[in-house]
Amino acid sequence: MRLTGAQMVLACLEAEGVDVIFGFPGGAVLTLYDEIFKKGIRHILTRHEQGAAHAADGYARASGKPGVVIATSGPGATNLVTGIATAYMDSIPLVAITGQVATSFIGTDAFQEADITGITMPITKHNYLIKDINELPYVLKEAFYVASTGRKGPVLIDLPKDLQAQEGDFAYPAQVEMSTYRPTYEGHTGQIARAANAIKKAQRPLLYAGGGVISSGAHEELLELSRKVSIPVTTTLTGMGGVPCDYDYFLGMPGMHGTYAANNAINESDLLIAVGARFDDRVTGKLETFAPQAQIIHIDIDPAEIGKNVVTHIPIVGDVKLVLKELLKRLQPADGDIHNTREWCQKVLEWKASNPLRYRQEPGSCLKPQYVIEELYRLTGGEAIVTTDVGQHQMWAAQYYRVKRPRALISSGGLGTMGFGFPAAIGAQMAFPEKQVVCIAGDGSFQMNSQELATAVCYNIPVKVAIINNQYLGMVRQWQKFFYGGRYAHSSLAGSPDFVSLAEAYGASGFRVTRPEEVAAAIEAALNTPGPVVIDFQVDPEENVLPMVAPNTSIVEMIGGEE
Amino acid sequence: MLAILVEDRPGVLTRVSGLFSRRGYNIQNIAVGRTMEPGISRMTVTVEADPLTVEQIVKQLNKLVNVLKVSDMTDEPSVGRELMLVKVKAEPGRRSEIQQMAATFRAKIIDLSPDSMIIEVTGDEQKLHAFLMMMQEFGIKEIASTGKISLLRGSKITRDMKA
Ligand SMILES: Cc1ncc(C[n+]2csc(CCOP(=O)(O)OP(=O)(O)O)c2C)c(N)n1
Ligand SMILES: [Mg+2]
């Protein structure tokens, strides 16, 4: 079949089962957009390419399928950079297609030329600059394959303008043949056997699960392992939903804003089983003091993660779902009781019960952000897909919106990208039009991508945005308070717009809440309002996220950990 | 010292060297050249790092989609060579002296002008260093050198080494 480059892209999207793409046109992708027009594939025009990238990311996180984003050359492509880096840090499958100046102009500083493959080299899993139309069919296939296999991640294809119009032979390859890229899925049986033995011998085992559990769909196996041999579980921000938050043996999040129970359990554990997690500094605190008594089993699909930050005693490279399945075969329910893990579990559950996360909402006084999130949880039945921005509200969302399922809490963990939440919510809503999608936003973060209100209104994407409006870059203010003598250098957001009017100006609905008594009614009203809604929750400006571990100290030195 | 087999594609060198600089690893020496297989190049990279870091470098390199094989040759018996061109001042009265010295190092004189000559010398780091020391007394005007390349001793090849 003879197709133009643009037609090849569309044929590929169809073959890959892509049902929606996010993007923004421009000179170098006009031919591609003409084909999008003709083919009628679902396309969401955002108001900024960063919004399109985060939306594609949110779609991928919610659905597990790769998100697709398109932008023009030069500024269009560079506007994707933050979105691509965000996806890269959290291993999210994304395929970005950018237009490039015509091949004969490459390297001449032509109008809107930017070396986007060069720019994104360190923040993509792989990228391609197409210089020959005959390469295109295979590269498209390979791009989707690389993005969505192994340790997933963003892949970028830079497609020069002339090639979009040039014809070539097209047959979409059925398979990829890559001698240089072969992820390991099956865990080493000997290592799995060693891990099973270590689990049988352990007296104080702990599961530490990360985003890899979500990515590989290993949540059922994780829960089964925890139940079968009685092992408490802590999950990282990106691992949230790996087990339901209301599960007895779930201890909450570890690390900087982790729970007393999770951090103490890590500290006293004699066997830490890391599953699809990467020992990030926000989790470990000071490395030398992390899990000082524990042997470490580390299960991960990426061999480079093993041994990167901590010394691992039993490394297992493989897909965590497959590895956990094998591990489960080698363990019996009684194995957990041999060495009195019961005593350990009791101790851990006691920590959990006696030192829960807490805050005080006095009736009739200043509105507490945590209360807002608890009410959101209650009134959505804990069933919403929640996206967050970055800052204090993000941590409160992770602490108080107790998700029950994987892919229900969507947050930029690794890169910590302000402005992620709202466009990601738009993407998640596109993946699940019937589900309730709530964005828990910061007043600072929301202003980084509030232009996407236009997108939500245009396509009637009924995302509910709960702005936790503390009139500060709150997390920055908190650090300034704790570690910089209370000097609030440029962290005040005084002068921000009236978010209700802003929403209304875009044609969305807006509500404002200033007192605790109004919270429930406003949330209910918002949930019952069709289309996009913004709720401006004006909360206590000086509330801090607790507990808190100061950077580079031991995670058991928690500010506000103990009653 | 790492031997890296890579697909010969535009940008591969950037991907590899970019990975080193981005993760804070220091390249001391790098050489790139052909292999027997069409489409496959061999990069020889010398880095100064502790064993754990080297392990991490190898793993990160393996993740690059265009990298076929990374072998750590540090603890393997191997032979390594670098080639250097040295331009020295050579006044007519001192030429024979220089020639003699070059002969001792099995170096070759490949260019001659009224007041200078270019000498080609190959060897390992120590030999090249020693040679330069000797040439200093004549006055070195300029040098150019390739990176170090190396092969395992015996019949074993890097491709067959354990990852
Ligand atoms: C793009 C970007 N710039 C800067 C930061 C640094 N930063 C981290 S949290 C934060 C404050 C966020 O403020 P807001 O969105 O109002 O959330 P709050 O902490 O007040 O809940 C800042 C500036 C960041 N994470 N991302
Ligand atoms: Mg704020």
Side-chain angles (χ1 to χ4, degrees), chain A residues 71-201:
Chain A
T72 191
S73 66
T78 55
N79 270 350
L80 294 179
V81 167
T82 302
I84 293 172
T86 303
Y88 182 72
M89 288 295 274
D90 288 343
S91 310
I92 304 303
L94 198 71
V95 175
I97 302 172
T98 49
Q100 180 56 278
V101 300
T103 38
S104 57
F105 284 98
I106 291 178
T108 66
D109 303 317
F111 177 63
Q112 295 198 326
E113 178 180 3
D115 172 15
I116 198 63
T117 45
I119 290 169
T120 59
M121 216 170 253
I123 53 166
T124 49
K125 185 168 167 187
H126 194 52
N127 62 23
Y128 307 84
L129 168 60
I130 311 285
K131 288 201 167 156
D132 177 350
I133 191 69
N134 297 312
E135 291 173 10
L136 187 58
Y138 182 75
V139 165
L140 286 164
K141 176 77 193 176
E142 192 175 283
F144 274 88
Y145 177 74
V146 170
S148 55
T149 54
R151 180 174 181 175
K152 295 162 189 162
V155 172
L156 180 139
I157 304 170
D158 201 19
L159 185 56
K161 187 179 165 78
D162 53 328
L163 297 188
Q164 293 169 32
Q166 192 181 327
E167 273 194 4
D169 283 326
F170 181 81
Y172 199 57
Q175 260 159 308
V176 295
E177 289 148 38
M178 299 177 74
S179 53
T180 56
Y181 172 75
R182 293 207 177 126
T184 306
Y185 294 104
E186 309 277 345
H188 187 279
T189 25
Q191 291 296 82
I192 295 175
R194 280 182 66 206
N197 278 334
I199 291 173
K200 286 178 199 168
K201 286 200 194 113

Side-chain angles (χ1 to χ4, degrees), chain A residues 122 127 180 302-304 306, chain B residues 15 22 56 59 63 65-66 68:
Chain A
N127 62 23
T180 56
D302 181 0
I306 290 171
Chain B
R15 284 181 207 280
R22 157 164 74 96
Q56 183 59 210
K59 286 172 169 177
K63 276 168 59 172
V65 167
N66 298 136
L68 192 65

Side-chain angles (χ1 to χ4, degrees), chain B residues 89-118:
Chain B
K89 280 194 206 144
E91 285 118 38
R94 306 202 70 179
R95 279 192 194 155
S96 62
E97 221 180 315
I98 296 174
Q99 261 160 353
Q100 263 175 21
M101 238 169 241
T104 317
F105 281 88
R106 295 202 207 156
K108 277 190 287 188
I109 291 154
I110 54 174
D111 183 60
L112 194 60
S113 75
D115 57 358
S116 75
M117 49 172 66
I118 298 177

Side-chain angles (χ1 to χ4, degrees), chain A residues 21 170 185 415 425 431 457-458 468 531:
Chain A
I21 54 183
F170 181 81
Y185 294 104
L415 198 68
V457 168
C458 278
I468 305 300

Side-chain angles (χ1 to χ4, degrees), chain A residues 22 52-62 67 83 86-88 92-94 410 420 424:
Chain A
F22 303 87
H54 289 325
D57 178 325
Y59 173 91
R61 291 187 202 232
T86 303
Y88 182 72
I92 304 303
L94 198 71
I410 293 176
F420 170 80

Side-chain angles (χ1 to χ4, degrees), chain A residues 295-505:
Chain A
Q295 279 229 317
I296 292 178
I297 299 174
H298 192 175
I299 308 169
D300 204 284
I301 194 149
D302 181 0
E305 281 308 332
I306 290 171
K308 185 178 83 177
N309 294 339
V310 299
V311 176
T312 304
H313 305 89
I314 306 176
I316 307 176
V317 176
D319 176 69
V320 297
K321 187 182 175 84
L322 296 180
V323 172
L324 289 185
K325 267 193 189 333
E326 285 305 309
L327 196 53
L328 279 165
K329 285 186 199 157
R330 291 162 197 268
L331 292 167
Q332 298 310 318
D335 290 339
D337 294 331
I338 300 177
H339 292 279
N340 292 324
T341 58
R342 192 159 286 171
E343 224 172 85
W344 160 246
C345 290
Q346 255 165 24
K347 187 172 182 181
V348 168
L349 293 183
E350 208 178 283
W351 284 333
K352 179 177 165 179
S354 58
N355 294 281
L357 294 167
R358 60 186 170 271
Y359 68 95
R360 195 164 299 155
Q361 176 66 70
E362 309 280 3
S365 82
C366 206
L367 178 58
K368 293 291 180 184
Q370 301 94 327
Y371 176 69
V372 173
I373 290 163
E374 283 203 314
E375 285 294 276
L376 273 170
Y377 173 76
R378 186 173 67 83
L379 294 164
T380 54
E383 294 292 344
I385 297 176
V386 172
T387 71
T388 81
D389 277 314
V390 171
Q392 292 184 309
H393 64 281
Q394 175 190 34
M395 292 298 109
W396 287 317
Q399 290 176 334
Y400 293 97
Y401 199 99
R402 303 169 53 75
V403 292
K404 297 171 181 164
R405 289 172 293 108
R407 304 191 180 282
L409 184 74
I410 293 176
S411 192
S412 165
L415 198 68
T417 308
M418 286 174 68
F420 170 80
F422 181 39
I426 289 175
Q429 187 80 78
M430 289 309 297
F432 294 102
E434 305 305 321
K435 284 199 179 156
Q436 189 81 65
V437 177
V438 176
C439 167
I440 297 178
D443 49 334
S445 300
F446 184 66
Q447 291 182 71
M448 286 203 172
N449 274 318
S450 59
Q451 78 284 347
E452 300 310 334
L453 275 168
T455 310
V457 168
C458 278
Y459 296 95
N460 194 24
I461 300 170
V463 167
K464 314 302 176 205
V465 184
I467 302 180
I468 305 300
N469 183 356
N470 52 12
Q471 298 169 60
Y472 274 110
L473 296 169
M475 189 57 95
V476 172
R477 185 202 57 74
Q478 176 168 344
W479 282 56
Q480 289 168 336
K481 167 123 187 148
F482 287 4
F483 311 120
Y484 291 88
R487 292 178 298 279
Y488 292 173
H490 302 279
S491 51
S492 164
L493 289 173
S496 293
D498 172 337
F499 291 114
V500 174
S501 307
L502 183 72
E504 287 169 355

